[in-house]
Amino acid sequence: MPDDLLARMAPDPEETLSTARQPLLAYATDRATLAVLSDALASALGAGAEFRLGDMAEARAGLQRLHAPLAALIVDVSGAADPFAALEELATYVDPAVRVCVIGDVADMDFYRQVTRRLGASEYLCKPLSRDQVARGFLPAITGGGDVPARSGRVVTVTGVRGGAGASTIAVNLAVQLSERARHHVLLFDADLHAGTTGLMLSAPDGGGLRAALEHPDRVDNIFAERSAPALGDRLRLLAAEEALDSPVSIPPGSARHLTTLLCNRYNLVVIDLPGRTDPLTQELRGTAHLRVLVMDPTLAALRDMLRHLALPAAPLQASRPVVVLNRAGMPGALTRRQVEDGLGIAIDVAIPWLPRQLHGAATLGEPMARRRGPFQAAVATLADQIVPRPRLPARSWFGLRRGGRA
């Protein structure tokens, strides 16, 4: 296979998305992936973006019928017998200025290099996809706007839109799921310094250094930040405090941002149990988020407040809209999922079932429910996939194809 078969598909690095062109034509082989693409990209690219169900053959046919010039193209090579040959054939129908992004079902670095380096595609993502992954991976490539600033870790805030919605329970279990089952290095950060409950839920004492880290940012380095967070396992640490109720914490501006930057240098994910208040600390931490998770219960008041939280401006590093979690779904006498979705005007991303007896017992014992298989753990795993999608293992027959195609 000759090198750079799709070289003419890669636009000049200085070229940006042209308003004279149709901004995007996207194909996906399954409806779930198509919905994620539309949700992540449609609002950013405008009404001209099109999202169609189809494989490589249908993408080629669609390009042949296309009359308006195209700025960007997304194609799905999942299930193709020879994805490299399919992309080579696609090149004959694609304008040289079009930015091409590729979706597939092969989680392999060699395959990624073949698609992006040798074939000239702007980006490749492996299924299953999340909105955040698409917005961070494809949107800069499509618009020519450059990548989101790179860090070794990402900040995920978990916020209850009303007190008592269960956000702390979800933050704790999400951190456990990501660290113990998905095997990421995770720091759980309880941003309620006076009344936080994450330590109680994990039967863990606070490390005693959070207040000092926030009040004296000039004294904080990577070692201090790590020693302030006791280990709860080989991949999970907790950064929390339990300050006296009559002892206000004086936090200088920029302190929280400095701390999260240091934490992102050490951990894959920093999960922040972030109160829904509007005090300076909460606002500054919200501004560090790469992804926001908003938690509501099925009540009319929570529905109203979810709409208010969704209307808040995105953080500078936040690439997609917040993940919406409906907690206590199926609670007797409460709103149904359909009623909540009708009220919000968007789909619920994750619904966590109403399991009062099991959750009460887990909280009393300090044993997170995510450690037990069942409907609650399955729902938390779905939420974890919204943050870091689990790659599908490649079929064995692909290995020979990839090895045979190496440079």
Side-chain angles (χ1 to χ4, degrees), residues 165-174 176-177 181 201 325-329 350-356 358-360 362 367-384:
S168 294
T169 298
I170 291 171
V172 166
N173 284 277
L174 175 62
V176 169
Q177 175 73 27
R181 293 188 179 273
M201 293 181 189
V325 176
L326 175 62
N327 195 24
R328 304 171 189 143
V350 181
I352 297 180
W354 168 243
L355 299 168
Q358 296 93 321
L359 285 169
H360 178 74
E367 182 68 18
M369 281 279 288
R371 289 176 177 156
R372 311 177 191 175
R373 292 193 179 276
F376 182 87
Q377 187 272 329
V380 174
T382 301
L383 175 57

Side-chain angles (χ1 to χ4, degrees), residues 67-261:
H67 299 294
L70 191 63
L73 173 70
I74 297 175
V75 292
D76 190 344
V77 298
S78 302
D82 186 341
F84 303 128
L87 289 170
E88 178 183 357
E89 185 176 357
L90 182 75
T92 63
Y93 303 102
V94 179
D95 186 294
V98 175
R99 301 176 186 274
V100 178
C101 296
V102 180
I103 303 166
D105 53 8
V106 180
D108 180 82
M109 186 54 68
D110 282 344
F111 188 86
Y112 176 86
R113 291 192 184 104
Q114 292 274 18
V115 171
T116 58
R117 296 184 184 180
R118 295 192 62 193
L119 299 183
S122 297
E123 183 59 281
Y124 169 80
L125 293 177
C126 179
K127 294 179 180 179
L129 305 181
S130 70
R131 280 196 314 274
D132 184 59
Q133 184 186 28
V134 170
R136 289 185 298 111
F138 281 174
L139 190 57
I142 290 170
T143 62
D147 294 333
V148 173
R151 287 184 178 178
S152 55
R154 296 167 60 213
V155 175
V156 179
T157 59
V158 182
T159 301
V161 299
R162 287 185 67 78
S168 294
T169 298
I170 291 171
V172 166
N173 284 277
L174 175 62
V176 169
Q177 175 73 27
L178 289 168
S179 61
E180 297 182 5
R181 293 188 179 273
R183 306 300 293 162
H184 298 288
H185 291 281
V186 178
L187 179 119
L188 176 60
F189 181 168
D190 193 331
D192 190 338
L193 276 65
H194 291 91
T197 58
T198 56
L200 292 174
M201 293 181 189
L202 292 164
S203 295
D206 64 81
L210 177 55
R211 177 172 185 161
L214 290 171
E215 288 190 327
H216 306 285
D218 54 313
R219 302 180 188 175
V220 179
D221 57 16
N222 289 323
I223 295 176
F224 181 92
E226 183 167 347
R227 288 179 177 173
S228 300
L232 306 182
D234 61 337
R235 292 172 184 263
L236 177 62
R237 286 178 176 264
L238 173 66
L239 185 60
E242 191 175 323
E243 301 299 328
L245 295 178
D246 60 353
S247 178
V249 181
S250 178
I251 303 174
S255 176
R257 185 174 298 277
H258 173 67
L259 179 58
T260 55
T261 299

